[in-house]
Amino acid sequence: MRAFVLHGPGRAGVVEVEPPVAGPGEAVVDVARVGVCGTDVELYSGELQYLRDGRSRFPVRPGHEWSGRVAAVGAGVDPGWLGRRVMGDTMLGCRACRRCRVGRQHLCEDREEVGILGRAGALAARLAVPARSLHPLPETVDDALGALVEPGGNALRAVRAARLGPGDRVLVTGPGTIGLLAAMFARRAGAEVHVLGRDPATLEFAASLGFAHCWTAESLPSVPYEAVIDASNAESLPARAVEWVEPGGTVVYIGLAGTPSLLDTRALALKDATAVGILSASPALAATITAYADGSVDPRPLIAATIGLDEVAPTLAGTRPPTATKAPKIHVTPTP
């Protein structure tokens, strides 16, 4: 089958590989849609921290935001999965350690991560994953939405951590896919959502989604924010987030800068503020599927274009598909 493979920094292409076979406890999925993520860009550039610390090694087959249909199951797997439309968890814990036993398998020290760490990803015709990682998709959640569940789960966890209620004001920094999804979930929670960005075109797109309060750092009004969700990759914003949040409020960090960010913990303590870090969508995947299924959150406008496998490398290198809108997310259909 055809698969997209990263051979090294800036070296990638579509190659023929052996299709996966479902081992014990596994399912093989015919992949329908895959989202291109910032993590995939960092894998392509060689800047991902996992590569720097030796946890991930080339070659890598990326793709961890996906949807598809179960084509085969291995020994010990309920045959009822066959033919079902699914998406899957990225984080695969060992199931034996203390963290896994208490339900924190996404923090397992020995975890695999689909398309990132130790397990081939979805940028291929077929994908093999543990059946325990699968989540069924209802008919109201199409393939495009299914491939947006993983980033949506990250965003939903960020909003939950922000402890937002009706009438609260939240500032979301970084209007990329995760930031805009967080804005959508915060709006669903009844919050007044403000969006901070740098690029006027990006802020114009955010406004087109119904977010009336879109700002640059220079134009940001001096109003109280009960919570700040930092979904940016700017190393300066983690500290600014503490400046902007109300005393007693919450700062949620879900974006990652390429270099370390400096944060004065005195500012955090003197505001009696709470800081929360978010890694992984795992605990919120089912709730995200429900939100998409009932229409309370519709992230379809975030998809800028859908491309084929042969167009993935230029996309990772920074070339936007010619048909792309101003939206942030690129999707891939691995098979024609």
Side-chain angles (χ1 to χ4, degrees), residues 20-40:
V21 175
E26 290 188 331
V28 170
V29 177
D30 287 331
V31 181
R33 282 280 189 113
V34 188
V36 176
C37 174
T39 300
D40 302 324

Side-chain angles (χ1 to χ4, degrees), residues 230-305:
D230 180 20
S232 77
N233 60 2
E235 63 204 33
S236 63
L237 286 186
R240 298 298 305 274
V242 178
E243 293 178 22
W244 291 324
V245 77
E246 269 283 272
T250 304
V251 180
V252 181
Y253 296 111
I254 191 169
L256 295 174
T259 55
S261 300
L262 297 178
L263 177 64
D264 187 345
T265 57
R266 293 174 299 180
L268 195 67
L270 291 171
K271 278 197 166 182
D272 198 24
T274 300
V276 183
I278 297 295
L279 172 71
S280 168
S282 300
L285 293 174
T288 302
I289 292 170
T290 298
Y292 291 176
D294 66 23
S296 57
V297 173
D298 182 6
R300 289 183 185 89
L302 302 183
I303 303 170

